[in-house]
Amino acid sequence: MGELATAAAPTLILAGFALLALPHLNPDGRWPRLLGAIFVTAMLLRYMVWRVTETLPPAGMDFNFFAAIVFLVVEMFSCLAGMLMLHALSRTTNRSAEVEAHPPEEFPGGAPLVDVLIPTYNEKREILLRTLVGALSQDYPNYRV
């Protein structure tokens, strides 16, 4: 148990600091998202190093080794996909000012028609009713439900 605690200590300390800082960060700010993405990417990279250096069976021409390598490759691709997703999600643009500067009424011919689709199957009547009321109470000038 001592080795496990020693190995996990840096991760637990960083996670503790992150949990203490989260309530004080602005979720719409660029730096909190970027720092969060960097932190998670560092944890993923650390996991990938541990996975490659500590968990593979001894090299050989047997089924266990080949199965472990195939699973490792799939796992590494999923980790890389996760890192790409973090990169994409950490870069957002707030376009609220542009929307406010160009309200839908200023479009040539008026506001474009927007269709609101409500996919549902076997929903309770009360839930569907609330959904319809919410969709019908929009303030957009040109829509249909």
Side-chain angles (χ1 to χ4, degrees):
M1 184 68 178
E3 281 184 40
L4 179 60
T6 304
T11 303
L12 292 174
I13 290 169
L14 284 174
F17 280 129
L19 287 174
L20 288 174
L22 281 176
H24 306 290
L25 296 176
N26 177 10
D28 295 328
R30 179 175 183 230
W31 288 109
R33 281 194 317 270
L34 184 61
L35 290 175
I38 289 170
F39 175 74
V40 173
T41 300
M43 294 295 104
L44 272 172
L45 289 172
R46 173 66 180 107
Y47 170 77
M48 291 166 67
V49 168
W50 170 80
R51 180 74 172 87
V52 169
T53 60
E54 301 289 329
T55 64
L56 291 178
M61 298 299 287
D62 61 344
F63 176 76
N64 287 340
F65 180 72
F66 288 115
I69 293 298
V70 168
F71 189 73
L72 176 71
V73 168
V74 170
E75 200 171 359
M76 291 301 123
F77 276 120
S78 67
C79 286
L80 290 173
M83 285 187 259
L84 287 172
M85 179 195 64
L86 283 170
H87 172 70
L89 292 178
S90 68
R91 301 173 53 111
T92 61
T93 303
N94 185 354
R95 301 203 184 274
S96 298
E98 293 173 45
V99 171
E100 296 299 324
H102 304 289
E105 295 82 16
E106 291 183 3
F107 280 90
L113 176 65
V114 173
D115 289 323
V116 178
L117 304 175
I118 302 172
T120 181
Y121 180 74
N122 286 342
E123 289 288 342
K124 291 183 179 179
R125 184 176 174 86
E126 298 80 25
I127 293 174
L128 186 57
L129 183 62
R130 280 188 288 183
T131 304
L132 287 171
V133 167
L136 289 169
S137 64
Q138 295 185 48
D139 60 357
Y140 187 79
N142 191 13
Y143 71 94
R144 64 181 173 197
V145 179

